[in-house]
């Protein structure tokens, strides 16, 4: 592998404790009326709207209650158009930021949402530049503040797919680790393992490059020391900073390199069962690592195996660890984080053939370090129950 790569991310990133209070000024610089997208918890959106009122900046608030559906995005887009908002701000977890990005993108683009979607749609390209978009994450997992896609659930086809465009990188990411202090332990756990999965899958991805590797090493190191600390003591600001940083790094990596089998399954699984994305990743990651390592050994793909050895050394902190030790470490981590297994969500072998078929067609599966056959994909699901 030579030294060549291409890399893109959000235009501007502000990473600072307490930077949330600067958001009204940033909004003012980008537009005159802001469409604020928030999640169930509206405390921060309400705080922001108070500040905006003091500054005489108009706003509209739109709430997304869970992982966004095509209906949510269409409703939000129509409201943003009708209220003539000219800047969008998303304050919340990945679902909220993904919604903000999708709405900002669709307001000036007049086609149907379904036409722009990958896999189930026509994958048409966005033509018009989206409204300026500010992303303010309150969780540390998806890295959506620095990615160019939105994951949207199709209510008709029961699958999660992406709206993706180079035009969709947020104009500004305001990462304030203080906002993540209030995340409950269960959410800290699942979002944290999602971030780890992004870093790990892109690091071993068939598409990875030396620049992405550098990002992934740094992110995995920070997670290995901090995810459990943040889970045990939510007020540990240093651990929260490390997780916010790692989440951002994971987003940077996944926006530029395809992921792997975990995310290949996550789309269809999340579409068919109401399981949070981070929990899906946590359930699948150990088995995907095990099956990938075995498949690489069978095919003597030493270069990719060395990557798994390095993952193991970074995660365990043990300089003589080998590939399998990494999988064991992740399995133990998921246990310590008390993340439920897939069978707790009523997944059974009956759904496997359908899931495998859908996962094979997913965009992420193309990043997996080795091609997996139906039997190996079945094994991953079976081990993850
Ligand atoms: Zn993910």
């Amino acid at each position: 592998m030579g030294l060549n790569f291409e890399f893109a991310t959000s235009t501007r990133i502000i990473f600072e404790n307490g930077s949330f209070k600067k958001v009204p000024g940033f909004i003012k610089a980008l537009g005159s009326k802001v469409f604020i997208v928030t999640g169930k918890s509206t405390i921060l959106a309400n705080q922001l709207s108070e500040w905006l009122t003091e500054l005489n900046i108009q706003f509209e608030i739109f709430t997304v209650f869970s992982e966004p559906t095509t209906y949510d995005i269409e409703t939000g887009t129509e409201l943003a158009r009708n209220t003539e908002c000219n800047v969008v701000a998303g304050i919340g977890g990945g679902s909220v930021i993904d919604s903000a990005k999708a709405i900002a993108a669709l307001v000036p683009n007049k086609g149907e949402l379904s036409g722009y979607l990958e896999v189930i749609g026509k994958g048409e390209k966005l033509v018009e530049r989206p409204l300026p978009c500010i992303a303010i994450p309150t969780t540390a997992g998806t890295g959506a503040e620095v990615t160019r896609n939105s994951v949207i659930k199709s209510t008709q086809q029961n699958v999660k797919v992406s709206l993706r465009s180079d035009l969709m990188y947020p104009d500004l990411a305001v990462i304030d680790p203080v906002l993540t202090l209030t995340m409950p332990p269960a959410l800290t756990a699942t979002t944290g393992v999602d971030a780890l999965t992004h870093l790990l899958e892109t690091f071993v991805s068939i598409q990875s490059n030396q620049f992405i590797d550098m990002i992934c090493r740094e992110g995995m190191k920070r997670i290995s020391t901090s995810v459990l600390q943040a889970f045990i003591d939510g007020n540990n600001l240093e651990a929260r900073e490390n997780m916010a940083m790692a989440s951002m790094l994971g987003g940077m990596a996944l926006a530029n390199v395809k992921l792997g089998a975990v995310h290949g399954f996550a789309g269809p699984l999340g579409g068919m069962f109401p399981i949070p994305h981070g929990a899906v990743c946590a359930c699948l990651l150990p088995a995907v690592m095990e099956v990938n390592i075995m498949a690489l050994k069978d095919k003597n793909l030493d270069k990719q195996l060395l990557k798994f050895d390095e993952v193991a050394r970074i995660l365990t902190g043990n300089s003589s660890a080998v590939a399998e030790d990494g999988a064991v470490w992740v399995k133990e981590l998921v246990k310590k984080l008390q993340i439920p297994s897939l069978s707790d969500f009523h997944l059974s072998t009956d759904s496997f053939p359908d899931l495998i078929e859908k996962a094979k067609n997913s965009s992420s599966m193309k990043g997996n370090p080795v091609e997996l056959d139906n039997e190996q994909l079945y094994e991953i699901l079976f081990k993850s129950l």
Side-chain angles (χ1 to χ4, degrees), residues 67-354:
E67 296 180 353
T69 62
T70 40
Y71 175 79
D72 293 325
I73 300 303
E74 282 160 349
T75 310
T77 302
E78 206 174 292
L79 182 63
R81 277 184 192 146
N82 293 343
T83 52
E84 295 181 340
C85 290
N86 50 21
V87 50
V88 177
I91 312 168
S95 303
V96 169
I97 292 172
D98 275 1
S99 303
K101 282 154 62 183
I103 292 166
L106 289 170
V107 166
N109 284 282
K110 302 293 183 222
E112 295 282 315
L113 168 58
S114 57
Y116 298 116
L117 290 174
E118 288 181 349
V119 186
I120 57 167
K122 288 173 234 134
E124 285 165 9
K125 292 235 176 317
L126 295 175
V127 179
E128 305 295 334
R129 183 156 281 282
L131 294 182
C133 182
I134 304 176
I136 309 146
T138 59
T139 63
T142 64
E145 68 276 14
V146 291
T147 66
R148 62 185 175 112
N149 70 311
S150 297
V151 181
I152 300 166
K153 183 176 168 176
S154 158
T155 29
Q156 281 175 352
Q157 312 205 27
N158 277 336
V159 66
K160 284 187 195 171
V161 291
S162 272
L163 175 65
R164 193 185 312 265
S165 164
D166 287 337
L167 300 173
M168 281 173 63
Y169 285 108
D171 298 82
L172 175 62
V174 179
I175 306 169
D176 180 351
V178 172
L179 302 184
T180 67
L181 290 174
T182 50
M183 247 200 300
L187 192 61
T188 302
T190 50
T191 53
V193 178
D194 187 27
L196 173 63
T197 310
H198 296 157
L199 293 157
L200 204 156
E201 289 210 290
T202 49
F203 186 69
V204 301
S205 169
I206 201 88
Q207 293 188 346
S208 197
N209 60 60
Q210 294 187 41
F211 189 79
I212 295 297
D213 289 353
M214 175 184 81
I215 287 176
C216 295
R217 285 187 191 102
E218 181 64 26
M220 286 190 285
K221 202 167 78 191
R222 286 180 191 268
I223 291 185
S224 72
T225 58
S226 296
V227 65
L228 211 52
Q229 287 178 351
F231 174 72
I232 293 164
D233 174 14
N235 285 315
N236 183 333
L237 186 57
E238 200 188 328
R240 293 298 197 184
E241 285 174 337
N242 282 330
M243 291 309 294
M245 172 84 168
S247 169
M248 178 198 77
L249 293 172
M252 287 176 167
L254 81 88
N256 290 280
V257 161
K258 282 197 193 301
L259 289 153
V262 176
H263 279 80
F265 274 122
L269 246 168
M272 286 161 68
F273 298 89
I275 315 175
H277 174 71
V280 172
C281 292
C283 294
L284 293 171
L285 183 58
V288 167
M289 290 173 80
E290 286 167 15
V291 171
N292 273 336
I293 291 167
M294 281 192 292
L296 290 169
K297 285 194 166 166
D298 282 348
K299 295 187 178 172
N300 294 316
L301 293 168
D302 294 339
K303 206 180 80 186
Q304 300 303 118
L305 267 173
L306 286 175
K307 282 291 202 55
F308 275 100
D309 287 341
E310 197 180 345
V311 166
R313 290 197 295 271
I314 293 169
L315 295 180
T316 62
N318 172 359
S319 58
S320 54
V322 293
E324 289 84 355
D325 300 327
V328 172
W329 187 91
V330 172
K331 206 173 201 169
E332 280 170 7
L333 174 73
V334 170
K335 212 180 282 170
K336 285 178 199 156
L337 293 173
Q338 298 163 25
I339 298 171
S341 71
L342 289 180
S343 48
D344 293 324
F345 295 103
H346 309 294
L347 181 78
S348 71
T349 51
D350 300 346
S351 321
F352 285 10
D354 197 15

Side-chain angles (χ1 to χ4, degrees), residues 15-88:
F15 191 105
E16 183 192 350
N17 286 322
S19 51
F20 177 58
K21 63 176 184 299
K22 296 181 176 173
V23 171
F26 297 140
I27 289 173
K28 200 174 179 182
L30 288 170
S32 56
K33 185 169 184 183
V34 58
F35 191 74
I36 301 172
V37 184
T38 175
K40 294 191 282 282
S41 166
T42 54
I43 298 166
L44 294 172
N46 292 339
Q47 170 68 74
L48 180 60
S49 59
E50 274 176 36
W51 290 336
L52 291 171
T53 306
E54 285 166 20
L55 288 171
N56 270 325
I57 301 170
Q58 289 185 294
F59 60 86
E60 196 68 42
I61 295 184
F62 180 68
T63 308
V64 179
F65 290 93
S66 60
E67 296 180 353
T69 62
T70 40
Y71 175 79
D72 293 325
I73 300 303
E74 282 160 349
T75 310
T77 302
E78 206 174 292
L79 182 63
R81 277 184 192 146
N82 293 343
T83 52
E84 295 181 340
C85 290
N86 50 21
V87 50
V88 177

